[in-house]
Amino acid sequence: MKDIASIARDRITVAPSLLAADFTQLESQCREVALAGADALHLDVMDGHFVPNISFGVPVVKSLRKKCDLFFDTHLMISHPKQYAKAFVDAGSDLLTFHVECDDMIDAVLDECDRLGVPAGLSLKPGTPAEAVFPYLERVKLILVMTVEPGFGGQSFMADQMPKLARIKREIKRRALPVIVEVDGGVAPATAPQVASHGGSMLVAGTAVFRAPEGMAKAIESLKANTAILDSAL
């Protein structure tokens, strides 16, 4: 398992979302995005229940782990993350992020992650207030703020989530916690400055990287160029 400490909190990092890759060429796409400068690979797991879509599961993660050395940032958009945590850890996930809105007890899922020795992240949907994750900040390594409704790629960025993002970042800074703030949904070179200025340091970008006309490397370089304005509005 790769150490989450390898993901910097004081500069912009990029975790391209596998959902936007060419699924007929996953091995080569993962190799290319790694060479292009990705810091992690974001794996969106959907169960068709928590969100209205089904993506991929344990077998794909396990297969990719054999071919890809990137940090596996696994986002469990599923109703019962506790039930499947061990399977995804065994498959090679380096971080498990689950939703505060899931059907399991949050502390029970965090206990399971502790038992498995895997760092946990907590995500919240656009309609969920920032304060919903505050009770758990000492127990997680990452907070994922969704700037689209989870379930489908290619949606438009929801700028109205920026105040919530900033509230979460301020609370993390107030408590001096080593928690990464990640943002997922409509992130692209045009929207990344807003994310960075409101405290988001780990950018999940799917279409903007895997389908960038200028190529993956230039797309990632453009996203990372926002490090200079990280936290500037806080």
Side-chain angles (χ1 to χ4, degrees):
M1 186 178 296
K2 292 176 173 54
D3 191 348
I4 193 170
S6 65
I7 307 296
R9 291 180 288 114
D10 59 351
R11 62 177 176 83
I12 295 296
T13 56
V14 178
S17 172
L18 189 69
L19 276 185
D22 180 348
F23 272 49
T24 68
Q25 302 291 332
L26 283 186
E27 181 181 350
S28 63
Q29 290 264 281
C30 291
R31 186 184 306 114
E32 183 178 352
V33 82
L35 291 173
D39 300 280
L41 189 64
H42 190 80
L43 305 174
D44 286 305
V45 177
M46 306 178 191
D47 64 359
H49 183 262
F50 182 76
V51 293
N53 198 7
I54 296 174
S55 58
F56 51 81
V58 170
V60 170
V61 177
K62 185 176 181 179
S63 296
L64 283 176
R65 181 77 288 170
K66 299 173 184 177
K67 302 293 184 179
C68 180
D69 289 331
L70 284 171
F71 184 94
F72 276 11
D73 168 28
T74 303
H75 180 192
L76 299 177
M77 288 178 272
I78 63 179
S79 296
H80 295 286
K82 182 176 181 293
Q83 179 180 348
Y84 296 98
K86 184 178 186 303
F88 279 102
V89 171
D90 290 346
S93 296
D94 298 302
L95 168 75
L96 296 183
T97 297
F98 64 100
H99 274 260
V100 71
E101 308 92 350
C102 75
D103 291 341
D104 290 339
M105 298 294 292
I106 303 304
D107 281 316
V109 184
L110 293 173
D111 288 344
E112 179 68 359
C113 289
D114 289 344
R115 187 185 73 81
L116 295 168
V118 64
L122 201 55
S123 183
L124 63 173
K125 294 180 180 181
T128 302
E131 291 73 19
V133 301
F134 286 3
Y136 310 104
L137 290 178
E138 276 80 7
R139 298 199 63 188
V140 300
K141 294 298 184 182
L142 179 144
I143 295 293
L144 171 55
V145 177
M146 296 298 299
T147 45
V148 296
E149 290 294 338
F152 294 91
Q155 297 181 63
S156 297
F157 178 77
M158 298 171 68
D160 61 356
Q161 297 301 301
M162 293 301 95
K164 179 167 74 177
L165 171 62
R167 285 198 299 276
I168 292 171
K169 181 64 174 185
R170 282 195 296 266
E171 185 65 16
I172 289 170
K173 291 179 71 172
R174 186 184 73 80
R175 301 190 200 182
L177 297 172
V179 177
I180 296 167
V181 181
E182 183 176 45
V183 178
D184 182 4
V187 176
T191 57
Q194 295 180 66
V195 172
S197 67
H198 288 82
S201 65
M202 192 171 184
L203 309 184
V204 178
T207 302
V209 172
F210 279 107
R211 304 179 192 178
E214 68 275 25
M216 296 183 193
K218 286 193 176 297
I220 291 174
E221 180 183 0
S222 179
L223 292 168
K224 290 186 175 183
N226 293 283
T227 290
I229 61 170
L230 183 62
D231 294 357
S232 64
L234 300 178

